[in-house]
């Protein structure tokens, strides 16, 4: 029997003084969530056809781990989650709450799923979505599921069943009457964004440190997208092989209509390889894997730091490239072990000639040549361009329709302005605060000093020494081996450094901190007493 959702009950956690309203069941009327309350998604909360969910700017919604808490907006239902740059709406793990029993991590809850009545290419016109199994698809390309604007989705992507995970944001058959912009998906246990058919347009999307693919498209998705940024953790990849883009017409590469043929402009895909020769998770694959008869139209994209930059896979996709129904125009590939590749051939297609000449593409051996500010910094990434960057020139002018910004003639998601500033959060757990200083002396040995003071509450200093330049990682783990903080993860010149770390939201206990650079590593322990 269906449950009609209003506010089921309010749960007060006396120990932490943290109050929240539990949401479960079906939304069949209008429900309003306000920023002066917090909410817990219990199980699959479904906005049924005719139901409306309004979410006020600044509202925080937690997903319950034990019940795979998820939000599903069904065809005919609507969500109006319109945050602001100063007050984004946040969907996150229940383990980010004060007093949580453990740190938040990948796949702590389900995710946000929006389903509509726009066309998909599955025979019969409808199918069931991964995870909850609700039906979607139809014949209305202008279908309107509401608004998702200035929204962060953190630690989603729970495994619903074997090989059946929920993505961070799933859009199935969603129509172009729906507004989707300024969305950040962080630490997703599956894909960050997946578009199953539909015509919805989207811009200003961030895929941060996901597990599987950053942006996945299939089942005849034909929307428009602009300003997309993906950044990967070199340690985290999926057994299926992790990519920036993964695109299929469908699972068999059929010619079912409509063909998957989204139009992408101004994309930056920062992969796991921050410097040549870096050791990364072996399951990373490609910046873009375009396959199974998908016919993507891509322009002004930059792919940096992947094992393979661009892979065209299947004769249908390669024939589309040869016939110009599929393209990757005026784009840049840099610092990839292999820049370009094909997994099959039509007998005459040469991908190097196609990309570099026909498509006016460019390749660079090193990411530094692109002159981005600090794109690989996992704690505070900045992929904007410095004056003189080659990405500031050589791009195409985006279409002058009502959706695209035609002034974005640069290559990549950013020019000199960082559109992530103010609303995005690259430390969503809020567990640590880090300040780092470089000291004057250059050491003779690779060293990690004992933190001081120790025990500490809540701040301590950690000093480390690098006799030679290289990529450096300084991480903190709990006694179960779970990483709870990443203090440094980027290139450093030779020198001695001191990190001032505040562990405000961690509980008392013993922690291990680990310094890694190249093949060298050192572990030490610290004690937090509160």
């Amino acid at each position: 029997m269906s449950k009609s959702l209003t506010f089921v009950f309010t749960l007060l956690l006396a120990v932490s003084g943290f109050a929240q309203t539990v949401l479960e069941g079906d939304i069949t009327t209008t429900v309003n969530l306000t920023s002066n309350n917090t909410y817990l998604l219990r199980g699959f909360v479904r906005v049924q056809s005719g139901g409306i969910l309004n979410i006020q700017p600044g509202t925080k919604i937690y997903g319950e781990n034990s019940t795979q808490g998820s939000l599903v907006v069904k065809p005919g239902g609507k969500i109006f989650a319109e945050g602001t740059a100063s007050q984004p709406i946040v969907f996150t793990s229940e383990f980010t709450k004060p007093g949580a029993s453990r740190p938040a991590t990948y796949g702590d809850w389900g995710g946000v799923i929006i389903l509509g009545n726009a066309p998909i290419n599955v025979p019969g016109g409808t199918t069931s979505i991964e995870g909850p199994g609700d039906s979607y698809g139809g014949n209305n390309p202008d279908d309107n599921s509401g608004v998702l604007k200035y929204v962060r989705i953190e630690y989603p992507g729970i495994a619903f069943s074997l090989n059946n995970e929920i993505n961070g944001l799933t859009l199935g058959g969603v129509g172009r009457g729906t507004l989707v912009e300024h969305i950040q998906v962080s630490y997703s246990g599956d894909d960050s964004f997946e578009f199953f058919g539909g015509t919805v347009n989207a811009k200003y999307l961030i895929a941060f440190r996901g597990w599987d693919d950053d942006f996945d498209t299939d089942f005849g998705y034909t929307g428009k997208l602009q300003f997309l940024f993906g950044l990967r953790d070199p340690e985290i990849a999926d057994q299926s092989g992790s990519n920036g883009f993964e695109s299929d017409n469908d699972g068999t590469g059929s010619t079912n209509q409509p063909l998957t043929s989204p139009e992408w402009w101004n994309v930056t895909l920062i992969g796991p390889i921050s410097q040549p020769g870096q050791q990364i998770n072996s399951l990373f694959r490609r910046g873009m894997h375009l396959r199974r008869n998908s016919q993507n139209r891509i322009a002004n994209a930059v792919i940096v730091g992947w094992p393979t930059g661009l892979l065209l896979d299947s004769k249908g996709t390669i024939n589309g490239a040869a016939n110009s129904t599929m393209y990757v125009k005026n784009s840049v590939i840099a610092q990839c072990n292999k820049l370009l590749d094909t997994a099959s051939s039509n007998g005459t297609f040469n991908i190097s000639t196609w990309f570099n000449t026909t498509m006016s593409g460019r390749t660079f051996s090193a990411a530094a040549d692109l002159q981005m500010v600090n794109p690989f910094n996992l704690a505070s990434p900045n992929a904007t361009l410095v004056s003189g960057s080659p990405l500031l020139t050589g791009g195409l002018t985006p279409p002058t329709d009502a959706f695209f910004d035609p002034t974005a003639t640069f290559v990549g998601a950013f020019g000199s302005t960082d559109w992530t500033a103010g609303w995005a959060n690259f430390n969503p757990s809020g567990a640590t605060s880090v300040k780092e200083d470089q000291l004057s002396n250059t050491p003779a040995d690779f060293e990690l000093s004992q933190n001081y003071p120790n025990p500490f509450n809540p701040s301590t200093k950690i000093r480390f020494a690098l006799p030679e330049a290289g990529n450096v990682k300084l991480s903190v783990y709990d006694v179960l081996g779970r990483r709870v903080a990443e203090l440094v993860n980027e290139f450093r010149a030779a020198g001695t450094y001191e990190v001032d770390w505040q562990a405000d939201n961690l509980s008392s206990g013993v922690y291990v901190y680990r310094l890694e650079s190249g093949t060298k590593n050192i572990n030490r322990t610290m004690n937090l007493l509160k």
Side-chain angles (χ1 to χ4, degrees):
M1 179 179 293
S2 164
K3 290 178 286 186
S4 179
L5 176 89
T6 50
F7 299 135
V8 177
F9 60 87
T10 298
L11 176 66
L12 179 64
L13 302 180
V15 174
S16 63
F18 186 83
Q20 63 188 356
T21 298
V22 175
L23 309 177
E24 59 183 338
D26 295 338
I27 294 175
T28 58
T29 57
T30 297
V31 169
N32 300 310
L33 307 187
T34 57
S35 61
N36 61 328
N37 293 300
T38 56
Y39 302 89
L40 182 73
L41 294 171
R42 175 162 290 166
F44 289 106
V45 177
R46 291 177 167 89
V47 183
Q48 296 286 352
S49 180
I52 297 174
L53 178 62
N54 296 313
I55 306 178
Q56 191 177 66
T59 302
K60 182 167 282 189
I61 302 105
Y62 298 95
E64 189 171 58
N65 177 263
S66 62
T67 62
Q68 302 174 329
S70 304
L71 177 65
V72 183
V73 181
K74 297 186 66 173
K78 283 184 167 50
I79 180 172
F80 293 96
E82 189 165 356
T84 66
S86 60
Q87 292 186 295
I89 293 164
V90 179
F91 292 86
T92 192
S93 163
E94 65 172 319
F95 296 113
T96 63
K97 294 184 295 187
S101 60
R102 65 164 174 82
T105 191
Y106 293 87
D108 270 347
W109 59 289
V112 177
I113 301 170
I114 302 180
L115 307 175
N117 294 303
I120 61 175
N121 67 14
V122 175
T126 62
T127 192
S128 298
I129 200 67
E130 292 179 354
D134 296 276
S135 153
Y136 68 97
N139 56 12
N140 181 10
D142 297 314
D143 191 37
N144 185 348
S145 296
V147 176
L148 222 62
K149 183 175 182 180
Y150 287 111
V151 173
R152 298 203 308 262
I153 303 170
E154 302 165 351
Y155 305 106
I158 202 167
F160 180 70
S161 59
L162 183 64
N163 297 320
N164 187 15
E165 299 86 7
I166 300 174
N167 305 297
L169 176 60
T170 302
L171 299 166
V174 177
R176 57 186 170 226
T178 309
L179 178 64
V180 178
E181 63 175 56
H182 290 96
I183 312 297
Q184 179 180 14
V185 176
S186 302
Y187 295 96
S188 175
D190 194 47
D191 297 337
S192 295
F193 295 85
E194 184 152 12
F195 299 80
F196 290 96
T199 56
V200 65
N201 304 322
K203 62 172 57 169
Y204 301 111
L205 306 183
I206 305 169
F208 180 58
R209 299 176 77 163
W211 197 284
D212 196 0
D213 305 318
D214 292 333
F215 303 97
D216 196 339
T217 55
D218 40 30
F219 286 180
Y221 173 58
T222 59
K224 302 174 182 178
L225 305 106
Q226 188 178 28
F227 304 122
L228 282 74
F229 176 50
L231 176 61
R232 302 307 296 248
D233 183 332
E235 293 185 356
I236 303 298
D238 189 68
Q239 62 180 355
S240 65
S242 294
N243 307 291
F245 279 14
E246 183 174 272
S247 185
D248 309 311
N249 192 49
D250 58 18
T252 64
S254 76
T255 58
N256 290 348
Q257 299 291 322
L259 295 175
T260 298
S261 54
E263 190 171 359
W264 313 79
W265 285 79
N266 300 101
V267 177
T268 295
L269 299 175
I270 304 297
I273 305 173
S274 61
Q275 58 181 329
Q278 178 185 352
Q279 293 291 104
I280 63 170
N281 190 307
S282 62
L283 295 170
F284 277 108
R285 295 293 184 261
R286 306 109 186 161
M288 290 186 181
H289 188 186
L290 311 181
R291 63 181 187 176
R292 294 176 178 165
N293 204 29
S294 62
Q295 303 292 307
N296 292 267
R297 296 168 290 165
I298 302 165
N300 294 0
V302 58
I303 304 168
V304 185
W306 292 85
T308 298
L310 170 64
L311 174 65
L312 302 186
D313 186 355
S314 84
K315 289 186 178 181
T317 297
I318 293 172
N319 285 338
N323 298 329
S324 298
T325 57
M326 194 286 291
Y327 56 75
V328 183
K329 293 181 178 178
N330 294 69
S331 296
V332 166
I333 303 175
Q335 199 166 281
C336 295
N337 298 338
K338 179 180 285 187
L339 297 169
L340 301 160
D341 198 11
T342 56
S344 57
S345 174
N346 66 359
T348 60
F349 182 77
N350 183 298
I351 191 170
S352 295
T353 300
W354 173 79
F355 181 80
N356 293 298
T357 302
T358 308
M359 296 288 104
S360 300
R362 291 174 287 168
T363 58
F364 294 81
S365 58
D369 296 336
L370 304 183
Q371 299 182 57
M372 293 183 281
V373 173
N374 198 358
F376 291 100
N377 186 339
L378 294 179
S380 183
N382 188 339
T384 60
L385 310 179
V386 302
S387 178
S389 168
L391 300 181
L392 288 169
T393 60
L396 289 175
T397 300
T400 55
D401 62 13
F403 173 77
F404 289 109
D405 178 356
T407 69
T409 57
F410 45 82
V411 179
F414 303 93
S416 58
T417 302
D418 184 4
W419 48 259
T420 73
W423 66 277
N425 185 354
F426 297 101
N427 182 23
S429 67
T432 64
S433 175
V434 179
K435 178 184 177 183
E436 182 181 354
D437 296 310
Q438 182 175 7
L439 307 180
S440 58
N441 58 309
T442 300
D445 299 311
F446 181 71
E447 297 177 349
L448 177 63
S449 301
Q450 183 64 50
N451 66 298
Y452 178 83
N454 186 45
F456 67 99
N457 177 26
S459 64
T460 190
K461 295 182 184 295
I462 302 172
R463 183 175 294 191
F464 62 91
L466 305 173
E468 58 186 25
N471 197 70
V472 180
K473 181 178 292 185
L474 179 61
S475 306
V476 181
Y477 299 85
D478 65 15
V479 292
L480 297 178
R482 297 175 300 201
R483 185 171 59 189
V484 297
E486 187 168 75
L487 311 186
V488 179
N489 188 355
E490 58 185 329
F491 184 84
R492 286 285 182 272
T496 300
Y497 296 83
E498 187 172 80
V499 173
D500 187 356
W501 177 47
Q502 294 197 38
D504 302 277
N505 286 4
L506 293 183
S507 58
S508 296
V510 177
Y511 293 88
V512 176
Y513 58 108
R514 178 181 178 88
L515 180 70
E516 302 171 71
S517 184
T519 59
K520 301 176 182 177
N521 62 79
I522 303 174
N523 291 336
R524 292 193 182 277
T525 60
M526 60 173 71
N527 292 275
L528 174 60
L529 294 180
K530 289 188 174 181

